[in-house]
């Protein structure tokens, strides 16, 4: 969900008041499980991908602006995504969330625009966890079957499937009509007469009814369109806490007013109604975490979410992306993730955690595989791409994260962030090239790209609720660069511009190299600091590091500057010469991205140097021949 920084601070403050029992793990005490395969996640907003309707009317209806379908991901489309270098595809917005389109014919109640963001609705306001979004089905009565067929096609294409689970909140009107008989829908058995009870799924405000926020800055639901339910009212009695933790019966417009917060057994004053994990739980394997919870009495919401995760695991889902995981206690993640891993030991578990001091708890105690590396690597690289930051700041991040480097998923775009090509970010997709080389090759951690990133999508459209610079997740519409690549469902780039084709070719070369070269799952060492100290003309607009394995030795050099070329005698530190076993002499180096650039590494008198002349926004991945 799109959040401003002030709101995030308030959220974290609330969370920390509740999180009293979990401590930060030592940097040196923990070891991650050995993962030696580089993964690439293709993150796609499912309802936008195959939509070729270019109307893009602000607040347009499904009929006016169109919508993509599960069936748009046919064998050809999936094979092209696989050939791009992806190993996983994250289908965003699959669980049935609140929408304005009328599906009452299919037994689905209408949703109220006063508590829905946009006309297509936020995918993070889930209305039914046991069904999928009816918008994306050719036949909404068969929507689950259509998605199951997509899972099968995706697997046949050699890709694995990730979907979202949003544990912190659900839609204001959660109404699961498809909940299996062995469990119950959220809130069904709640005692609404009191604000808190351990097995209530929600928090309540007894004696007060919910009130729609006071709209600000000329905002009106559906852009002010006359609509029967858009009357400034929504019946909820008593009112519930809002998803971001607001305890007001009338939340602010900037609150997550379309959602209600889930209760995980945390008292309003921060006390807990579950057994905390022991301090050494970070050392436990999955089996021991599973055993710890075996006979424990846990809050109702824990069981419900575990059942949801196992339901989708049984459907063939290979992993989950957990929204705002740090707003949920780490003990719950130990409970649920150990259950998932028991069913599928290879499950890919990715979480949104934005507080670096919590990273190790959520990885080691919470049994997460991967966390977003946003507030450290992404924010740092974004600053560099914008021409303000220094590449001197990259290596210290990697060094500080060395015990969890494999767990920190790298990205430059996702559905919450601005597009690289937007004026608000970098204004030029080419500026993403050196950043992608660093992001994809500096560690074994997964790389994620957002659909359209490989085409330089600028997200310039105003579709209604969503703002330009980010591809809207709230509105019906299409993505112009993707529409050109989809090319009337041929999925061949037939209408793409030359710049789009060249950029996609760059991504294809880089991503495929990252998943096939053994050095990227091998060792890493920074050589940037050494060259900053000893190499004339080397500066903090360029960056360099080395990767190696028994069979491959790489020198990676990038230029983040959009205007200036640089030339210098790049040096390898003495310890790298020794580790690589380099004897005196000359070694041919060949760039692995385009194979047109070659260099000579000269080793004399315990010094190794190579002449590098690098153009603006250029990158080299030199391999020692």
């Amino acid at each position: 969900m799109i959040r401003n920084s002030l709101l995030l601070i308030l959220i974290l403050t609330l969370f920390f008041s509740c999180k009293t029992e979990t401590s930060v793990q030592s940097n040196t005490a923990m070891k991650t499980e050995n993962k030696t395969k580089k993964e690439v996640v293709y993150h796609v907003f499912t309802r936008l991908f195959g939509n070729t309707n270019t109307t893009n009317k602000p607040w347009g209806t499904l009929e006016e602006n169109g919508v993509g379908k599960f069936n748009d991901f046919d064998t050809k489309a999936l094979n092209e995504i696989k050939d791009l270098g992806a190993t996983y595809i994250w289908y965003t917005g699959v669980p049935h969330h609140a929408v304005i389109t009328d599906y009452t014919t299919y037994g689905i109640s209408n949703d109220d625009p006063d508590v829905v963001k946009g006309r297509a609705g936020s995918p993070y306001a889930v209305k039914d966890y046991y069904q999928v979004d009816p918008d994306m089905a050719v036949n909404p009565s068969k929507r689950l079957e259509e998605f199951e067929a997509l899972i099968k096609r995706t697997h046949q294409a050699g890709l694995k499937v990730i979907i979202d689970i949003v544990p912190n909140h659900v839609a204001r009107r959660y109404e699961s009509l498809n909940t299996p008989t062995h469990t119950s829908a959220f809130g069904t058995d709640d005692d609404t007469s009191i604000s808190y009870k351990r097995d209530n799924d929600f928090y309540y405000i007894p004696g007060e009814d919910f009130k729609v926020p006071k709209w600000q800055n000329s905002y009106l639901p559906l852009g002010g369109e006359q609509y029967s339910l858009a009357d400034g009212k929504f019946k909820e009695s008593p009112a519930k806490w809002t998803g971001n933790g607001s305890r007001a019966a009338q939340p602010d417009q900037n609150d997550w007013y379309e959602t209600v917060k889930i209760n995980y057994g945390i008292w309003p004053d921060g006390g807990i109604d579950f057994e905390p994990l022991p301090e050494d739980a970070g050392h436990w394997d999955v089996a021991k975490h599973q055993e710890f919870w075996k006979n424990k009495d846990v809050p109702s919401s824990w069981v419900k979410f575990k059942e949801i995760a196992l339901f989708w695991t049984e459907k063939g889902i290979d992993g989950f992306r957990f929204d705002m995981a740090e707003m949920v206690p780490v003990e719950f993640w130990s409970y649920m993730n150990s259950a998932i891993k028991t069913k599928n030991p290879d499950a890919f578990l990715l979480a949104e955690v934005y507080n670096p001091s919590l990273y190790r708890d959520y990885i080691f105690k919470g049994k997460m595989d991967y966390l977003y590396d946003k507030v450290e690597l992404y924010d740092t690289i974004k600053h560099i791409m914008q021409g303000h930051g220094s590449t001197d700041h990259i290596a210290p991040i990697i060094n500080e994260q060395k015990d969890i480097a494999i767990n920190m998923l790298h990205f430059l775009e996702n559905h919450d962030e601005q597009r690289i090509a937007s004026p608000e970010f970098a204004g030029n997709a080419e500026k993403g090239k050196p950043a992608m080389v660093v992001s994809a090759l500096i560690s074994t951690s997964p790389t994620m790209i957002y659909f359209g990133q490989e085409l330089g999508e600028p997200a310039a459209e105003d579709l209604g609720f969503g703002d330009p610079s980010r591809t809207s997740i709230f509105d019906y519409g299409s993505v112009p660069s993707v529409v050109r690549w989809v090319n009337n469902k041929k999925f061949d780039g037939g209408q793409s511009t030359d710049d789009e084709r060249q950029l996609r070719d760059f991504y294809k070369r880089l991503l495929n190299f990252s998943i096939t070269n053994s050095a990227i799952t091998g060792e890493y060492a920074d050589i940037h600091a050494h060259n900053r100290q000893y190499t004339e003309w080397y500066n903090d607009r360029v960056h360099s590091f080395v990767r190696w394995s028994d069979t491959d030795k790489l020198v990676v050099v990038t230029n983040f500057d959009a205007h200036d070329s640089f030339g210098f005698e790049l040096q390898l530190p003495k310890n790298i010469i020794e580790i690589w076993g380099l004897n005196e002499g000359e070694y041919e180096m060949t760039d692995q991205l385009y194979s047109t650039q070659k260099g000579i590494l000269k080793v004399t008198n315990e010094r190794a140097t190579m002449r590098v002349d690098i153009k603006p926004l250029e990158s080299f991945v030199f391999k020692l021949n």
Side-chain angles (χ1 to χ4, degrees):
M1 306 178 77
I2 298 174
R3 314 159 177 88
N4 61 40
S5 57
L6 177 59
L7 181 57
L8 184 57
I9 291 169
L10 292 172
I11 294 165
L12 294 175
T13 301
L14 173 65
F15 179 74
F16 294 144
S17 71
C18 298
K19 193 75 185 67
T20 58
E21 298 294 335
T22 307
S23 64
V24 177
Q25 298 296 307
S26 162
N27 284 13
T28 57
M30 297 294 149
K31 294 294 181 184
T32 59
E33 295 178 12
N34 183 33
K35 300 181 180 71
T36 56
K37 186 173 184 288
K38 181 80 171 182
E39 305 289 2
V40 172
V41 178
Y42 191 77
H43 169 24
V44 60
F45 203 79
T46 316
R47 71 164 175 251
L48 297 179
F49 175 79
N51 184 23
T52 55
N53 181 326
T54 59
T55 304
N56 282 346
K57 173 186 173 182
W59 296 102
T61 65
L62 184 154
E63 290 75 20
E64 291 170 323
N65 284 358
V67 69
K69 303 293 183 180
F70 294 132
N71 285 358
D72 291 331
F73 294 88
D74 63 15
T75 299
K76 168 66 172 171
L78 292 168
N79 284 340
E80 289 295 329
I81 293 170
K82 176 72 161 55
D83 289 345
L84 183 65
T87 59
Y88 281 82
I89 185 165
W90 166 18
Y91 292 115
T92 308
V94 167
H96 181 188
H97 55 272
V99 301
I100 301 304
T101 301
D102 189 335
Y103 287 105
T104 52
T105 300
Y106 302 96
I108 300 169
S109 64
N110 280 329
D111 289 301
D112 191 325
D114 292 303
V115 289
V116 175
K117 290 182 176 177
R119 189 183 292 273
S122 168
Y124 296 100
V126 176
K127 179 175 179 173
D128 186 347
Y129 262 113
Y130 290 97
Q131 256 298 356
V132 298
D133 180 12
D135 279 346
M136 295 185 286
V138 174
N139 180 354
S141 67
K142 300 290 186 182
R143 58 195 183 277
L144 186 56
E145 290 90 333
E146 289 187 29
F147 182 60
E148 289 172 332
L150 174 56
I151 296 171
K152 183 176 179 180
R153 285 198 304 279
T154 307
H155 287 161
Q156 289 171 339
L159 292 161
K160 294 185 177 181
V161 178
I162 298 169
I163 64 169
D164 293 275
I165 287 182
V166 188
N168 178 66
H169 48 271
V170 294
R172 199 103 223 167
R173 178 182 284 161
Y174 187 82
E175 191 178 72
S176 178
L177 303 178
N178 303 281
T179 303
T181 55
H182 68 272
T183 184
S184 58
F186 290 109
T188 302
D189 303 315
D190 281 9
D191 178 354
T192 64
S193 68
I194 55 177
S195 60
Y196 169 82
K197 185 178 181 180
R198 192 200 71 165
D199 289 319
N200 275 357
D201 294 323
F202 305 127
Y203 296 93
Y204 295 90
I205 309 171
E208 295 191 58
D209 293 341
F210 174 81
K211 294 181 180 179
V212 171
K214 293 181 179 179
W215 305 126
Q216 307 162 27
N217 303 317
S218 302
Y219 170 79
L220 288 172
L222 303 184
E225 175 188 319
Q226 294 298 309
Y227 187 87
S228 60
L229 293 176
D231 56 3
K233 299 176 183 178
F234 177 74
K235 186 177 181 180
E236 181 181 286
S237 184
K240 304 180 183 76
W241 287 20
T242 294
N244 63 307
S246 170
R247 306 182 187 191
Q250 184 176 34
D252 186 81
Q253 181 178 333
N254 293 316
D255 290 326
W256 304 346
Y257 61 83
E258 80 281 21
T259 67
V260 291
K261 186 170 178 61
I262 297 289
N263 165 30
Y264 280 87
I266 298 177
W267 284 79
D269 65 4
I272 60 174
D273 262 340
F274 51 83
E275 187 165 340
L277 286 167
E279 286 301 310
D280 68 342
H283 297 278
W284 297 354
D285 61 13
V286 165
K288 191 165 183 179
H289 278 267
Q290 179 84 328
E291 183 64 26
F292 177 80
W293 297 109
K294 188 173 182 180
N295 297 312
K296 300 289 191 304
D297 187 21
V298 298
S300 168
S301 62
W302 294 30
V303 179
K304 288 183 172 70
F305 265 113
K306 181 191 73 173
E307 292 297 325
I308 289 165
L310 295 182
F311 171 85
W312 288 108
T313 299
E314 290 293 331
K315 293 287 184 186
I317 296 301
D318 302 291
F320 302 99
R321 180 267 191 186
F322 299 124
D323 185 79
M324 292 308 291
E326 68 189 89
M327 296 181 74
V328 177
V330 74
E331 282 81 0
F332 164 74
W333 294 115
S334 162
Y335 169 82
M336 186 164 86
N337 288 346
S338 62
I340 296 170
K341 289 285 190 179
T342 298
K343 290 290 184 180
N344 177 13
D346 297 322
F348 185 108
L349 305 181
L350 167 65
E352 240 185 337
V353 175
Y354 291 142
N355 185 341
S357 71
L358 298 176
Y359 286 171
R360 289 165 180 82
D361 264 356
Y362 279 78
I363 292 168
F364 299 117
K365 285 187 174 182
K367 307 311 291 178
M368 295 295 184
D369 293 309
Y370 308 109
L371 308 179
Y372 276 26
D373 197 350
K374 181 198 181 306
V375 299
E376 293 185 329
L377 191 64
Y378 167 84
D379 284 349
T380 297
I381 288 182
K382 180 176 183 179
H383 202 49
I384 296 167
M385 292 166 68
Q386 292 174 322
H388 312 305
S390 166
T391 57
D392 294 347
H393 299 144
I394 295 174
I397 293 171
I398 304 302
N399 183 63
E400 192 278 332
Q401 294 178 352
K402 59 187 175 184
D403 63 315
I404 57 170
I406 198 170
N407 304 99
M408 302 306 296
L409 175 135
H410 296 168
F411 64 91
L412 296 179
E413 288 188 2
N414 65 45
H415 68 272
D416 280 331
E417 306 298 341
Q418 295 169 325
R419 293 287 196 174
I420 295 168
S422 70
E424 294 82 354
F425 187 153
N428 180 356
E430 294 292 307
K431 291 183 179 180
K433 285 183 172 181
M436 271 306 302
V437 169
V438 172
S439 183
L441 302 185
I442 204 165
S443 80
T444 309
S445 65
T447 303
M448 183 172 77
I449 69 165
Y450 191 35
F451 83 120
Q453 177 183 342
E454 74 276 22
L455 300 167
E457 172 58 39
E461 289 69 35
D462 178 1
L463 292 176
F465 190 90
D467 295 324
S469 82
R470 294 175 174 88
T471 293
S472 177
I473 66 172
F474 306 105
D475 306 295
Y476 293 116
S478 60
V479 182
S481 64
V482 177
V483 171
R484 291 189 287 272
W485 180 80
V486 168
N487 189 26
N488 296 316
K489 309 300 174 71
K490 295 177 184 176
F491 306 102
D492 61 1
Q495 297 179 43
S496 295
T497 67
D498 288 343
D499 286 346
E500 288 168 351
R501 291 191 190 96
Q502 289 172 16
L503 186 64
R504 193 176 191 278
D505 177 68
F506 164 80
Y507 274 86
K508 185 173 182 177
R509 290 169 184 267
L510 175 63
L511 296 177
N512 277 284
F513 177 79
S514 76
I515 63 174
T516 55
N517 187 274
S518 64
I520 308 306
T521 54
E523 302 298 323
Y524 156 87
D526 172 64
I527 62 171
H528 176 79
H530 179 89
N531 281 279
R532 284 281 280 145
Q533 183 173 1
Y534 298 110
T535 301
E536 187 177 15
W537 307 116
Y538 186 96
N539 59 75
D540 73 344
R541 296 300 296 158
V542 298
H543 188 69
S544 58
F545 57 90
V546 293
R547 302 298 310 272
W548 71 94
S549 66
D550 290 341
T551 56
D552 295 296
K553 296 174 176 60
L554 307 176
V555 178
V556 181
V557 190
T558 58
N559 180 7
F560 281 84
D561 199 283
H563 306 289
D564 293 332
S565 298
F566 303 108
F568 42 80
E569 295 291 331
L570 187 74
Q571 300 182 45
L572 297 187
K574 183 179 178 181
N575 68 311
I576 299 301
I577 298 172
E578 294 173 350
I579 293 171
W580 285 11
L582 300 179
N583 299 316
E584 291 205 0
E586 295 186 351
Y587 298 83
E588 186 179 81
M589 308 288 285
T590 305
D591 175 49
Q592 300 299 290
L593 295 182
Y594 292 97
S595 302
T596 55
Q597 183 73 21
K598 297 185 183 296
I600 299 296
L601 181 68
K602 299 178 181 179
V603 182
T604 58
N605 299 321
E606 298 184 329
R607 293 184 73 248
T609 61
M610 180 176 67
R611 178 68 188 182
V612 174
D613 292 287
I614 192 164
K615 298 174 184 177
L617 303 178
E618 192 169 34
S619 299
F620 298 127
V621 182
F622 289 113
K623 179 180 176 182
L624 184 75
N625 294 332

